[in-house]
Amino acid sequence: MDRTYDDSDAPTSGGAITRRRAVILGAGGSAAITGLGWATPTILTSPASAQGSVPSVFTVTGNAGTILGGPDGSTWAAQTSGSFSSLRGVVFDAGLGLWIVVGGSGTILTSPDGVAWTPRVSGTVEQLNRVVRRAGILVAIGGVVVTSPDAITWTTQTSNTTQNLNGMASNGTDWLIVGNVGEVITSPDGVTWTGQSSGSFEQLNTVAHDGSGLYVTVGSFGTILTTPTGATWTPRTSGVPGALIGVAHDGIGQWVAVGQSGVILTSPDTVTWTAQSSGSASLLWDVDTIN
């Protein structure tokens, strides 16, 4: 399962967030919201409230067509997706007023409320792992790259790679995608893609941007790489042997990476990473933050 949101979901100037929070997704259908301290196995809890304007509905996806919806991140209800595919990515597009979910066999579903879901024709049978929206375009990736302006009509793009694509981020103008065997491709528009050299042959699981000039990707065997543009990458020392699967930046100076065996790492600069106690041995799939 996955989480992502577009830049229109960011808090407005009239609703400043006063405390950092992170959402972590783990094995066994678990979703968690946490502060700087990590509590209880797999399901981690956060400060009860943070003053500000944030989305009031959460949607989590999972195996066998699972969709869970909740108003606050702590109370969840199963929704009927109409799909039996593994659902791996979800985003809310505020401009369209739609949730978009992607998954196995090219599955794409849309919903205005997170409850009633409509299947869309993706034009592919490849697994779709992630979906992101930036600058008026939706991009979904996996074994292929597909794009849409409206979440209804989807077009397959030439990715110039045969590797499976796992993670995607944008700096606001350009796109960057990472995948298996150290694969990196970049695009100025989500349509035309160029291969880049990461200097690594490890599986790269996801990538995040800090909003001010730096991408971080994480992958197998504790791999952490950083770059300002996607063209030149710098390896960093994570200090962990297992796979890192999720990474996020809180927008004000803190990076968080999660992965196998309940690993949580934090860093203020991407150079020095510190292990935190999660209280869990579960595989942690992903993390996202608000500040």
Side-chain angles (χ1 to χ4, degrees), residues 193-278:
W193 294 90
T194 302
Q196 307 290 347
S197 175
S198 69
S200 172
F201 293 99
E202 301 299 344
Q203 177 172 305
L204 302 179
N205 292 317
T206 192
V207 61
H209 191 266
D210 66 0
S212 61
L214 193 67
Y215 291 98
V216 173
T217 183
V218 299
S220 57
F221 299 104
T223 298
I224 299 178
L225 307 172
T226 64
T227 181
T229 65
T232 303
W233 292 82
T234 301
R236 306 297 186 182
T237 301
S238 68
V240 299
L244 296 172
I245 301 176
V247 67
H249 189 267
D250 68 2
I252 57 174
Q254 183 87 332
W255 288 92
V256 181
V258 301
Q260 282 185 323
S261 304
V263 165
I264 297 175
L265 305 176
T266 59
S267 175
D269 56 11
T270 75
V271 177
T272 302
W273 292 85
T274 302
Q276 308 293 341
S277 175
S278 69

Side-chain angles (χ1 to χ4, degrees), residues 9-209:
D9 293 320
T12 63
S13 59
I17 301 298
T18 59
R19 289 197 293 272
R20 284 181 289 178
R21 297 193 298 172
V23 176
I24 294 176
L25 304 183
S30 60
I33 301 179
T34 178
L36 295 182
W38 316 94
T40 73
T42 306
I43 299 179
L44 315 175
T45 58
S46 70
S49 64
Q51 299 302 312
S53 175
V54 298
S56 58
V57 176
F58 293 82
T59 298
V60 171
T61 61
N63 290 340
T66 298
I67 294 180
L68 306 178
D72 55 12
S74 60
T75 302
W76 299 90
Q79 309 297 337
T80 301
S81 70
S83 172
F84 292 98
S85 294
S86 173
L87 302 178
R88 301 182 62 86
V90 58
V91 67
F92 181 75
D93 189 320
L96 298 175
L98 288 174
W99 291 94
I100 300 98
V101 164
V102 301
S105 303
T107 297
I108 297 179
L109 309 173
T110 64
S111 173
D113 56 10
V115 177
W117 293 88
T118 301
R120 304 298 182 182
V121 177
S122 67
T124 182
V125 295
E126 298 285 347
Q127 177 172 290
L128 298 174
N129 295 323
R130 306 241 177 182
V131 58
V132 173
R133 181 257 194 180
R134 289 288 187 275
I137 184 173
L138 286 155
V139 178
I141 64 165
V144 69
V145 175
V146 296
T147 62
S148 175
D150 57 11
I152 298 172
T153 302
W154 293 84
T155 302
T156 300
Q157 307 295 345
T158 301
S159 65
N160 291 312
T161 180
T162 59
Q163 298 298 331
N164 194 62
L165 303 172
N166 303 319
M168 173 171 47
S170 172
N171 61 9
T173 55
D174 297 322
W175 296 82
L176 188 148
I177 292 175
V178 299
N180 291 355
V181 199
E183 187 68 48
V184 175
I185 58 175
T186 58
S187 173
D189 55 13
V191 176
T192 303
W193 294 90
T194 302
Q196 307 290 347
S197 175
S198 69
S200 172
F201 293 99
E202 301 299 344
Q203 177 172 305
L204 302 179
N205 292 317
T206 192
V207 61
H209 191 266

